[in-house]
Amino acid sequence: MRFLEGGADIPDELIRAVTDGTTIFLCGAGVSMRVDLPSFKRLTEQIYDKLVESYTNEFAELHAFQREEYDRALRSLEKRTHRPGTPSRVRTAVGELLKAASGIALPDHLALLQLSRDADGRPRILTTNFDTLFERAADAAGLRDARSHAGKSIPKPGGPGDYGILHLHGRIRDPTLGLVESDLILTSADFGDAYLRDGWASQYIEDRMRLNTLVLVGYAAEDPALRLLLETLDADRERFRDLKEVYAIERQKDGSASMWKAKGIKPIEFTDYDAIYATLGEWSRYALQPAAYGRARITSILGVPPGAPTGGASP
């Protein structure tokens, strides 16, 4: 189905899965970049600026930047700027730089909340973003059951509490909404613990893939902040044939479709980001009221005035 002229076709099976409440959207920095929050690269640069530090003077950090391994650059920066017994200056800077502005419109976040719902209609959305923009969007729209969870406190997939806004990599504090900060998966050491040594994040993703169709939004195929997560998805796909489909909605670039497919992920590519989020907005209206949306669409195509009969015998 093509929700908007010039947009990409959304597979019928994915539309059904969303309508049935068996899909969960996994959202990255690209979603929040729509309201001027930074990419992981830009956030890393802003942290250096805020701490009045430079990666060009440290070979390990310069090398990490050149390889787009910003988590490794931040690990090195944190090690050399952190004084024992004091809060991490790097993590304090993250909280300050990602603080949500008051009163901003968040239509893209709201559309994703409306698309990513469970079978009972409750929001159930997964994000690697630290910001609280999904919580802000839910609060402004009066959405019930949009509880916020972060890090290891995320409810077990399939359990009775498996709904709400799920911050896989942690969440900053938001005093306005009464949310405290959690541990953040920010540096290479954090990623190594969550996905390799402890492995709780990789186990969570594997469990989630067994239960739900996963849709990635706001990521690139070679997203440095998502490296281990995507490798987990790829490895699990090879080992376990019962895993659900994984889709990625993204802007088309040279070779991008091939990169997604190589990871076992089905790409749904658009010409630009405005087309992506316009489609998500239209799709969310369909998902909330499929029958009413279908009637309105037929009326629009046929050019029938609102309220007029669309055909059939008279009473």
Side-chain angles (χ1 to χ4, degrees):
M1 182 172 180
R2 192 185 300 269
F3 286 97
L4 293 174
E5 186 177 354
D9 279 322
I10 307 298
D12 290 341
E13 61 272 18
L14 178 55
I15 293 173
R16 285 194 297 270
V18 167
T19 303
D20 293 343
T22 60
T23 297
I24 187 165
F25 281 67
L26 171 57
C27 302
V31 179
S32 294
M33 286 170 64
R34 299 273 294 173
V35 287
D36 296 328
L37 286 189
S39 65
F40 193 28
K41 175 185 178 182
R42 183 60 187 140
L43 174 64
T44 303
E45 292 170 338
Q46 289 176 346
I47 292 169
Y48 274 89
D49 291 342
K50 196 168 187 66
L51 271 57
V52 195
E53 296 285 346
S54 173
Y55 60 84
T56 59
N57 298 326
E58 297 287 335
F59 179 81
E61 292 163 34
L62 175 61
H63 183 65
F65 256 86
Q66 291 171 339
R67 294 173 59 88
E68 299 184 346
E69 295 173 346
Y70 308 114
D71 55 324
R72 291 194 169 101
L74 290 175
R75 171 60 174 163
S76 178
L77 175 65
E78 185 172 52
K79 286 178 68 176
R80 66 182 178 83
T81 61
H82 186 210
R83 296 178 180 176
T86 65
S88 165
R89 295 175 62 203
V90 168
R91 291 165 200 266
T92 298
V94 170
E96 294 171 353
L97 291 166
L98 296 181
K99 190 180 302 180
S102 299
I104 58 174
L106 298 166
D108 301 334
H109 289 76
L110 179 58
L112 286 161
L113 284 166
Q114 292 168 335
L115 284 169
S116 194
R117 297 177 299 143
D118 67 12
D120 295 319
R122 300 174 298 191
R124 184 182 58 199
I125 194 162
L126 187 62
T127 180
T128 56
N129 294 345
F130 305 139
D131 64 69
T132 58
L133 294 184
F134 280 114
E135 287 85 352
R136 292 291 182 108
D139 183 67
L143 296 185
R144 299 191 308 164
D145 299 321
R147 301 183 302 173
S148 181
H149 305 276
K152 289 186 176 182
S153 69
I154 290 178
K156 182 179 179 181
D162 184 24
Y163 62 92
I165 300 163
L166 313 173
H167 290 267
L168 183 64
H169 289 174
R171 180 197 62 218
I172 63 171
R173 67 189 293 264
D174 190 328
T176 301
L177 298 179
L179 299 173
V180 299
E181 70 275 11
S182 76
D183 292 336
L184 303 181
I185 299 178
L186 176 67
T187 71
S188 56
D190 303 325
F191 279 94
D193 182 61
Y195 286 94
L196 299 174
R197 188 177 67 85
D198 185 301
W200 68 265
S202 54
Q203 184 62 60
Y204 178 90
I205 291 297
E206 180 183 313
D207 292 345
R208 180 58 70 192
M209 289 173 65
R210 290 181 180 277
L211 294 173
N212 302 110
T213 299
L214 203 61
V215 182
L216 279 60
V217 181
Y219 300 104
E222 292 301 290
D223 195 316
L226 204 61
R227 183 177 62 251
L228 284 176
L229 192 152
L230 289 179
E231 289 173 359
T232 297
L233 295 179
D234 192 23
D236 286 346
R237 177 68 63 196
E238 290 296 319
R239 291 184 294 150
F240 305 109
R241 299 298 181 178
D242 62 331
L243 300 182
K244 306 293 186 182
E245 297 287 1
V246 180
Y247 295 86
I249 296 177
E250 176 55 354
R251 180 172 68 88
Q252 184 178 18
K253 302 173 186 175
D254 290 342
S256 55
S258 177
M259 295 297 294
W260 285 118
K261 291 175 183 177
K263 300 176 187 297
I265 297 172
K266 295 184 175 181
I268 304 173
E269 297 195 319
F270 290 74
T271 56
D272 57 56
Y273 293 116
D274 286 342
I276 290 175
Y277 291 97
T279 292
L280 291 174
E282 194 72 8
W283 186 3
S284 72
R285 287 185 279 277
Y286 169 81
L288 290 173
Q289 295 183 312
Y293 182 92
R295 290 194 297 270
R297 183 122 183 207
I298 291 172
T299 297
S300 174
I301 293 171
L302 296 177
V304 180
T310 58
S314 299

